[in-house]
Amino acid sequence: MSTEPSISHQDTLRVSVLSEALPYIQRFAGRRIVVKYGGAAMVQEELRDAVFRDLALLASVGVQPVVVHGGGPEINQWLGRLAIEPQFRDGLRVTDAATMDVVEMVLVGRVNKQIVNGLNQVGVRAVGLSGSDGSLVRARPYGDGDHGLVGDVAAVDPAVLRPLLDNGYVPVISSVAPDSAGRAHNINADTVAGELAASLQAEKLILLTDTPGILRDRHDPASLLRQLTLSEARALIAEGIVEGGMTPKTECCIRALAQGVAAAHIVDGRVPHALLLEVFTNSGIGTMVVGSSRTLQND
Ligand code: ADP
Ligand code: MG
């Protein structure tokens, strides 16, 4: 009687996929990848679960992910419940003291803990922080100061993250930080992610959003710009091709790269497993911004 085990096609496929990931796993093990988490990937249950599993996979093969999150829809829901009207200027929320109370409660209290819980459930040891913790981020008023308590990043001190990362914890950071007087400010999460990536000398900055990437025509997904140099990215802002919420994304990619981050990616978070596609495949997805010379994706 034969007792030969039968290996299914599916098993063979699974093993070959794993094996093909080996060079990427080896390349990124021990490296830091800062992920800005937001948009549909945060709202839709299936996408959210896929992001958590992707982060778990990255962490378990020795990559050190750092998560920075926004909180868009949930903040608006709570502002609505409390009858506070949300206001925007240049893609950024104008934040008075009452709004800031809600932003802080929702982002630091609720959204942050939901992400931490979700990650813990798939076996990640996640730790929630805001800019206040360990004086991680200090804010200053954004621009000319007429956006109320909207902040920009004045300084980053990543010291609190090092012992966490060294011990296998995944930091989950909400983009609220105090100014020098201790007043909480709301900072665009892309901007925080970019500055953290720079201060951690991260291998990659990955911004998950709800577009395929930077589009030459923002209404045409087929006009995706797959790879840009720093100067090309700057030109797109100057020409007005990049606008609104894409501006802080593109700017933070430029700043992170100028400060030594190897590659910055703006990626479609509506694609399941967008993170793994970006880290573990050669073609990558979305828009990649690189230093000066053109290189192959993931090189
Ligand atoms: P997130 O919530 O992920 O931060 P935002 O809404 O702040 O996303 O920013 C993304 C938005 O930027 C897109 O939905 C689009 O409306 C706008 N945008 C402006 N210029 C471009 C461009 N050139 N390519 C793609 N999106 C653009
Ligand atoms: Mg935005």
Side-chain angles (χ1 to χ4, degrees):
M1 204 169 73
S2 168
T3 54
E4 234 174 73
S6 69
I7 299 170
S8 72
H9 175 64
Q10 224 188 352
D11 288 340
T12 311
L13 190 69
R14 188 174 294 136
V15 167
S16 77
V17 167
L18 258 177
S19 178
E20 277 164 29
L22 179 64
Y24 299 99
I25 293 174
Q26 287 173 328
R27 174 153 176 224
F28 292 113
R31 308 290 175 93
R32 291 152 187 175
I33 295 183
V34 176
V35 177
K36 181 322 188 71
Y37 176 49
M42 209 159 120
V43 179
Q44 246 185 60
E45 201 178 322
E46 263 173 44
L47 292 173
R48 191 172 57 210
D49 291 347
V51 171
F52 292 161
R53 287 176 63 89
D54 288 1
L55 288 164
L57 201 146
L58 289 173
S60 60
V61 298
V63 179
Q64 300 181 339
V66 173
V67 180
V68 179
H69 67 87
E74 184 128 1
I75 291 174
N76 287 343
Q77 278 165 26
W78 282 96
L79 289 172
R81 280 196 205 185
L82 298 165
I84 299 169
E85 194 69 31
Q87 290 172 40
F88 290 89
R89 189 180 303 159
D90 307 331
L92 289 163
R93 189 183 299 278
V94 179
T95 307
D96 60 15
T99 304
M100 190 60 226
D101 284 346
V102 177
V103 169
E104 188 171 22
M105 286 190 281
V106 172
L107 268 185
V108 182
R110 193 172 152 80
V111 176
N112 185 273
K113 269 0 164 204
Q114 282 173 340
I115 298 168
V116 168
N117 286 336
L119 286 170
N120 287 340
Q121 272 178 328
V122 290
V124 175
R125 299 196 301 161
V127 174
L129 302 160
S130 80
S132 297
D133 296 290
S135 298
L136 179 58
V137 179
R138 189 155 45 74
R140 61 177 156 76
Y142 177 82
D144 47 18
D146 65 359
H147 289 76
L149 294 168
V150 173
D152 211 334
V153 174
V156 174
D157 178 359
V160 69
L161 300 181
R162 298 222 165 87
L164 295 175
L165 293 170
D166 290 347
N167 287 287
Y169 292 99
V170 173
V172 178
I173 299 157
S174 56
S175 56
V176 172
D179 67 4
S180 52
R183 274 182 308 250
H185 281 62
N186 181 23
I187 309 180
N188 183 283
D190 301 316
T191 307
V192 172
E195 295 297 327
L196 275 170
S199 78
L200 289 166
Q201 289 297 293
E203 195 67 20
K204 274 181 192 288
L205 167 67
I206 302 179
L207 308 175
L208 290 178
T209 184
D210 293 350
T211 66
I214 300 179
L215 307 172
R216 180 154 285 285
D217 169 0
R218 92 194 47 147
H219 304 296
D220 178 11
S223 70
L224 173 68
L225 298 166
R226 298 189 54 82
Q227 201 171 347
L228 296 170
T229 61
L230 282 186
S231 51
E232 287 168 338
R234 285 196 189 100
L236 290 174
I237 298 173
E239 291 161 16
I241 291 170
V242 161
E243 262 195 357
M246 195 52 78
T247 306
K249 284 184 208 305
T250 308
E251 280 174 346
C252 83
C253 288
I254 293 170
R255 287 182 54 79
L257 288 164
Q259 293 177 81
V261 174
H265 306 260
I266 299 172
V267 167
D268 195 342
R270 299 168 303 178
V271 175
H273 301 293
L275 273 180
L276 294 190
L277 283 167
E278 191 51 70
V279 179
F280 288 148
T281 70
N282 212 19
S283 46
I285 57 170
T287 300
M288 168 156 117
V289 191
V290 292
S292 51
S293 61
R294 287 189 175 272
T295 54
L296 288 172
Q297 292 270 6
N298 271 331
D299 268 14

